[in-house]
Amino acid sequence: MENELNSWALDFEDTLCSLLKSYMESKVRGIKVTQDEESGGTATFPTLLVRQIGAAEAGRTNEAKTINAIRPTFQITITNKGSRKATKDIAAYAVSFFKQQMFEVSNVITTISKQVRTATFRATRVIGNVEHLDQL
């Protein structure tokens, strides 16, 4: 029973990734949204990597038997072989998704190495166990 009460927090990364994947695929043709840093085979561009890099518990009660809220932090890394503008446009869609879900978003940092452009940012927010992310 207690495991079921806390499963929402443990599954949050997968839930968010699923919503982000659906959103990004409707905005950017051919984008690969993944949680896996490496995969076998040929690299796909553009790619959006979602990594949950933290999820501190928040809103703890005296009983502390259930997770009432968490503050997850996600790092989003977009790689693309296209133009700088195309990479920034993809990043703008990703930032828009997180803002619509009421996340705080850090500034987007862009780099280029061997003709592969990368845009990276972080997003964080407190979310409670009775809240739901919006399907966009």
Side-chain angles (χ1 to χ4, degrees):
M1 174 81 172
E2 289 171 4
N3 286 344
E4 292 172 11
L5 294 174
N6 295 325
S7 65
W8 75 273
L10 303 174
D11 295 337
F12 188 77
E13 179 181 12
D14 293 337
T15 300
L16 181 119
C17 188
S18 176
L19 292 172
L20 178 60
K21 181 177 181 173
S22 175
Y23 178 81
M24 291 301 294
E25 286 176 347
S26 74
K27 301 293 184 188
V28 181
R29 191 174 54 127
I31 192 165
K32 177 182 178 184
V33 178
T34 184
Q35 292 171 272
D36 299 326
E37 288 188 59
E38 290 186 17
S39 62
T42 307
T44 303
F45 297 102
T47 295
L48 186 149
L49 172 65
V50 181
R51 291 184 56 218
Q52 184 171 314
I53 58 173
E57 184 177 358
R60 191 172 156 199
T61 63
N62 288 337
E63 297 85 33
K65 291 183 180 179
T66 60
I67 300 171
N68 296 316
I70 55 174
R71 178 181 270 285
T73 300
F74 292 92
Q75 180 167 300
I76 307 304
T77 304
I78 298 155
T79 55
N80 189 27
K81 279 199 167 184
S83 68
R84 184 173 192 264
K85 181 184 180 324
T87 304
K88 288 183 86 172
D89 288 347
I90 296 167
Y93 284 126
V95 166
S96 179
F97 168 84
F98 280 97
K99 290 308 297 176
Q100 290 176 49
Q101 301 294 344
M102 298 186 293
F103 278 77
E104 299 168 27
V105 176
S106 71
N107 58 322
V108 178
I109 298 167
T110 57
T111 60
I112 185 169
S113 176
K114 298 180 183 175
Q115 299 182 348
V116 176
R117 296 182 186 277
T118 303
T120 303
F121 68 92
R122 291 183 179 179
T124 188
R125 75 167 275 197
V126 173
I127 186 160
N129 62 351
V130 295
E131 292 183 70
H132 296 283
L133 295 176
D134 294 329
Q135 301 256 354
L136 302 174

